[in-house]
Amino acid sequence: MGTISPLKDIDEKRELVLPRRNSTYKHIFAYLIHTRKIDGDVVQEFVKNKQLYEDEKRNCVFVGYNNENEPKFANLRGTGRKQFRKDLWGSDKTYPFHREGTNDTLLIFESPIDLMSYMTLAKIYKIKDLNHHMISMGGTSYLPIEYYISQHPVIKKMILCLDNDQEGHFFSQQIQERFGERFQILKHLPTAKDFNEDLIVIHNRLNDYEKTEGMQL
């Protein structure tokens, strides 16, 4: 009896199926705006662009699309007390959660929350013309960088906004070695571990300052 060979024409790659939407957005709004301190207009921008929604389990769903506007990547982030995050089965990191820019600079982040936190910090510091392209790698991966720059040949500069930890430093060096001959590469490190931690610290300081000012009136 002969051995059975695997069929070479079977595509074993599973298709991405997005989780069903919840009937409300209140849990992700509470988590992102009140817990993570992200500006409400920033959150609404990604909701409007269908890059962010709430699923039936009350998770944040961050979505990346291909050129045909088909969802190809999804990252889930829990909104409860228990820390939960994962890439949905069938996700392709090639297609990042991103914000389209209008100039020649690409900002690179590890997570969607860091990207949105950076946008919020820009608003706090009254930076009006934040026209850079922005992507979240969904961790540390070359795939979304390679894809995004291939689709945006105008990009000449990269600013690495990765986590201020050993893994972030290591991958920053890897990006420098891989892309340094083709692009100008700069770093913008957060003061804490990441830009969301920076945002929370600054938000709390502003609140404390406002309370102190109010007591003096």
Side-chain angles (χ1 to χ4, degrees):
M1 185 175 179
T3 58
I4 300 175
S5 300
L7 296 177
K8 294 182 179 180
D9 59 346
I10 292 179
D11 184 4
E12 296 181 351
K13 189 173 182 180
R14 184 169 176 174
E15 289 293 323
L16 174 67
V17 178
L18 293 178
R20 294 178 61 179
R21 294 174 181 269
N22 205 352
S23 59
T24 179
Y25 281 76
K26 68 180 182 181
H27 303 99
I28 68 168
F29 284 169
Y31 175 72
L32 294 172
I33 298 171
H34 298 297
T35 302
R36 292 291 190 158
K37 311 304 181 187
I38 296 170
D39 182 81
D41 289 340
V42 171
V43 175
Q44 287 283 5
E45 176 180 332
F46 290 102
V47 169
K48 181 180 178 180
N49 292 335
K50 299 182 179 180
Q51 295 171 277
L52 169 64
Y53 71 93
E54 179 174 326
D55 71 10
E56 290 182 327
K57 295 183 179 180
R58 302 180 178 179
N59 297 312
C60 302
V61 184
F62 301 100
V63 186
Y65 294 86
N66 64 10
N67 281 342
E68 287 71 45
N69 205 32
E70 299 168 329
K72 291 294 182 180
F73 174 82
N75 175 264
L76 306 185
R77 168 79 70 155
T79 59
R81 293 183 179 180
K82 186 177 180 180
Q83 291 290 323
F84 166 77
R85 60 179 176 179
K86 72 171 184 177
D87 293 345
L88 203 63
W89 187 267
S91 286
D92 186 345
K93 286 185 180 291
T94 302
Y95 307 99
F97 178 89
H98 72 280
R99 184 176 191 250
E100 198 85 10
T102 57
N103 61 21
D104 66 352
T105 301
L106 172 64
L107 273 58
I108 301 172
F109 301 87
E110 291 189 30
S111 75
I113 286 179
D114 288 342
L115 187 157
M116 292 192 292
S117 297
Y118 195 95
M119 292 175 62
T120 302
L121 287 165
K123 293 189 71 171
I124 290 173
Y125 288 114
K126 302 187 185 304
I127 299 173
K128 296 181 180 180
D129 299 320
L130 188 64
N131 297 320
H132 305 322
H133 299 264
M134 301 181 182
I135 65 169
S136 161
M137 296 182 293
T140 52
S141 172
Y142 298 122
L143 291 175
I145 303 174
E146 292 280 14
Y147 174 75
Y148 199 86
I149 60 178
S150 72
Q151 301 300 307
H152 299 82
V154 68
I155 291 172
K156 306 297 181 186
K157 181 193 302 183
M158 296 181 184
I159 301 179
L160 310 183
C161 306
L162 308 190
D163 288 0
N164 189 11
D165 59 14
Q166 185 174 357
E167 184 178 3
H169 298 161
F170 175 78
F171 199 68
S172 290
Q173 183 61 37
Q174 297 299 302
I175 292 174
Q176 177 69 51
E177 293 176 3
R178 191 180 185 100
F179 299 100
E181 293 185 0
R182 291 184 285 160
F183 299 90
Q184 179 186 2
I185 298 181
L186 305 173
K187 294 181 183 179
H188 188 180
L189 284 176
T191 302
K193 176 182 176 292
D194 57 48
F195 282 105
N196 186 248
E197 289 190 8
D198 280 3
L199 172 60
I200 291 172
V201 168
I202 291 170
H203 185 277
N204 290 339
R205 286 177 181 171
L206 289 173
N207 276 352
D208 291 343
Y209 175 78
E210 290 174 359
K211 289 177 182 177
T212 302
E213 286 291 297
M215 291 173 63
Q216 293 176 353
L217 294 177

